[in-house]
Amino acid sequence: MSIRGKDVFSGITLLLFGFLACFTSSEAAIKKYQFDIQVKNVSRLCHAKPIVTVNGMYPGPTVYVREGDSVLVNVTNHAQYNMSIHWHGLKQYRNGWADGPAYITQCPIQTGNSYTYNFNVTGQRGTLWWHAHILWLRATVYGAIVIMPKQGTPFPFPQPYREQTILLGEWWNSDVEAVEKQGNQLGLPPNMSDAHTINGKPGPLFPCSEKHTFVMEVELGKTYLLRIINAALNDELFLAIAGHSMTVVEVDAVYTKPFTTESILIAPGQTTNVLVQANRVPGRYFMATRTFIDAPIPVDNKTATAILQYKGIPNTVMPALPQLPAPNDSVFALSYNQKLRSLNSLQFPANVPLKVDRNLFYTIGLGMNSCPTCVNGTRLLASLNNISFVMPQVGLLQAHYFDMKGVFTTDFPDQPPSPFNYTGAPLTANLRTSASRGTRVSKIAFNSTVELVLQDTNLLTVESHPFHLHGYNFFVVGTGIGNFDPAKDRIKYNLVDPMERNTVGVPTGGWTTIRFRADNPGVWFMHCHLELHTGWGLKTAFVVEDGPGSDQTVLPPPSDLPPC
Ligand SMILES: *[C@@H]1O[C@H](CO)[C@@H](O)[C@H](O)[C@H]1NC(C)=O
Ligand SMILES: *[C@@H]1O[C@H](CO)[C@@H](O)[C@H](O)[C@H]1NC(C)=O
Ligand SMILES: *[C@@H]1O[C@H](CO)[C@@H](O)[C@H](O)[C@H]1NC(C)=O
Ligand SMILES: *[C@@H]1O[C@H](CO)[C@@H](O)[C@H](O)[C@H]1NC(C)=O
Ligand SMILES: *[C@@H]1O[C@H](CO)[C@@H](O)[C@H](O)[C@H]1NC(C)=O
Ligand SMILES: *[C@@H]1O[C@H](CO)[C@@H](O)[C@H](O)[C@H]1NC(C)=O
Ligand SMILES: *[C@@H]1O[C@H](CO)[C@@H](O)[C@H](O)[C@H]1NC(C)=O
Ligand SMILES: *[C@@H]1O[C@H](CO)[C@@H](O)[C@H](O)[C@H]1NC(C)=O
Ligand SMILES: *[C@@H]1O[C@H](CO)[C@@H](O)[C@H](O)[C@H]1NC(C)=O
Ligand SMILES: *[C@@H]1O[C@H](CO)[C@@H](O)[C@H](O)[C@H]1NC(C)=O
Ligand SMILES: *[C@@H]1O[C@H](CO)[C@@H](O)[C@H](O)[C@H]1NC(C)=O
């Protein structure tokens, strides 16, 4: 558990951290980081190519803080692309200015410019992550956020001996922006990735990858905390470790009721903390990750590996592969997600909204719009309630705060335009024609309680969609396969200990219900965390109004907020 000096631009921070560690002070600290956005040549799978990085690191530096700390990250853009950074899962109370999605809460940081993200880490502890929130740049611009509990507050599970961040990603041999651009021009899905990675490394099952293999050394008899993050753009992933089971203790920086499993399932945007005991015959064991896909869609299905290596065991020992669930194992996926329950203890209660002020029902659809210059004369797109979201030219939060007209409308419908058999026989996009396009959002009253049912549809095809809401955690009160039936399904909700999180998978051909209390004023993005679908318009935002109190309003924007 060390903080790397080069991640920090002020030696004072390092000293402060050391001081805190030594004297167990409960004082909150100010943690400062310098993020230089730089292009660096990186070689994987026998190909070298320039990638966009933070401080030349791939994956980027870990932001290591303690609950209650204030964080200042000066992001300076030396790359040729516009940049913005999202602190995925941090609630940013009243402080959307530091949330990061480009054109939603800020204009991008342009080449040669800087912006300091200034935020407090309040009421949260666990594993989160940060990533670029513009174009497809998060393919290489991402890293972990580790929030330690306040001094003197132990984990609600056995104290691990050591801990390790495990970042799962995707690697393209080509320039990822060229890949994205080509897909957009053709109106087709961009080329899939060439490899998955674990801590930036694909592992020895790929060519030229012996030296690009992540190795975690363990000591016999010790317990380790793995902080696992799915930073992949488009793939839900299984992960398992040969010979070792895992005990899930936290997801999305919320403690769970612990349960033991041979494999975990983790969607893009999600984090999962597991305890692993090094209690097997000392040796080398593969940790492996591969895509979960239960829809007829081509995906990168290649297996990335890392090695769990017991101390003193030579590198010549060949590790065995773990048994991962089959790539299309929906039964495992549903049962795994059912096991996720909030700890719901006195100290960490699950404050599930029991009364709902606002009921929302959003259908998720794929479709095709006419595009004369595209391969088939059509362009694939995606929509919520038949609306494919159009990115504005200025940040929505600025438009809201300064009451600028003509940037967005607040008429996003609470229901789809007309009900249909959502998950029945496949519907071609032509049958339903193309979705309408617009920068349409929903206005939510301050501190009201919201129930949102996300319903997958068979428009073109069913598929699973991990949805991420900015600015909030929500409770996953129900999920099922087929069409949501209010009469039958609402009575089956779990309102006692549902999982609280920030990103949830809507199952293939099914639905998921979330509930949250809208007590964080601002403009909060909600989108599918498959970058492919975000780009196609599978997104919208909530404008949560200010409350009556002076401490219930959006904070004034920082003076260095980037202009458009
Ligand atoms: C980066 O790698 C490419 C491909 O190998 C090479 O052509 C280029 O010269 C390298 N650039 C730098 C700055 O090393
Ligand atoms: C951010 O970093 C840049 C580049 O090092 C520097 O010029 C700028 O002054 C820094 N901004 C702040 C607020 O420290
Ligand atoms: C962070 O907390 C400090 C101390 O309570 C407060 O003064 C400051 O305004 C907060 N900053 C943000 C961005 O919320
Ligand atoms: C995408 O894949 C096709 C087929 O393999 C290839 O011809 C093309 O160059 C790739 N595009 C990019 C941007 O790498
Ligand atoms: C992986 O995907 C490729 C291309 O989509 C397909 O040909 C192959 O059968 C798949 N392999 C497995 C094990 O699913
Ligand atoms: C999963 O894939 C296997 C192998 O491709 C296939 O035989 C099986 O029918 C599939 N299962 C489901 C539930 O689709
Ligand atoms: C073009 O459209 C046809 C008919 O919808 C479809 O079968 C085909 O796969 C499409 N081609 C591409 C490249 O998407
Ligand atoms: C919806 O479609 C499915 C599959 O085609 C069918 O089994 C079901 O009866 C349909 N439901 C309704 C209400 O029409
Ligand atoms: C979706 O919107 C388009 C454009 O407004 C319209 O033509 C189409 O009928 C709508 N589809 C549905 C299912 O409401
Ligand atoms: C929001 O409403 C709840 C329930 O009425 C209340 O307990 C809470 O104090 C309110 N919060 C704020 C910030 O107004
Ligand atoms: C960067 O962002 C600015 C402000 O929105 C925009 O005017 C400019 O076109 C963008 N540059 C690129 C290369 O996309």
Side-chain angles (χ1 to χ4, degrees), residues 188 368 375-376:
L188 298 174
M368 289 191 246
V375 172
N376 256 357

Side-chain angles (χ1 to χ4, degrees), residues 58-81:
Y58 168 68
T62 298
V63 169
Y64 197 92
V65 300
R66 202 172 270 291
E67 181 181 346
D69 284 348
S70 297
V71 184
L72 295 170
V73 189
N74 179 356
V75 178
T76 303
N77 188 2
H78 306 282
Q80 73 272 38
Y81 300 110

Side-chain angles (χ1 to χ4, degrees), residues 94 397 400-401 443-447 518-523 543-555:
R94 305 171 60 203
L397 184 58
H400 168 62
Y401 188 85
K443 195 178 253 191
I444 307 281
F446 177 76
N447 204 29
D519 56 4
N520 188 6
V523 179
V543 175
V544 178
E545 293 173 294
D546 283 346
S550 60
D551 56 352
Q552 296 169 345
T553 57
V554 175
L555 292 171

Side-chain angles (χ1 to χ4, degrees), residues 218 220 244 277-283 285 308-313:
V218 296
L220 181 65
H244 294 74
Q277 281 182 289
N279 58 2
R280 299 305 299 256
V281 177
Y285 296 87
L308 194 77
Q309 180 154 350
Y310 282 67
K311 201 172 177 178
I313 299 297

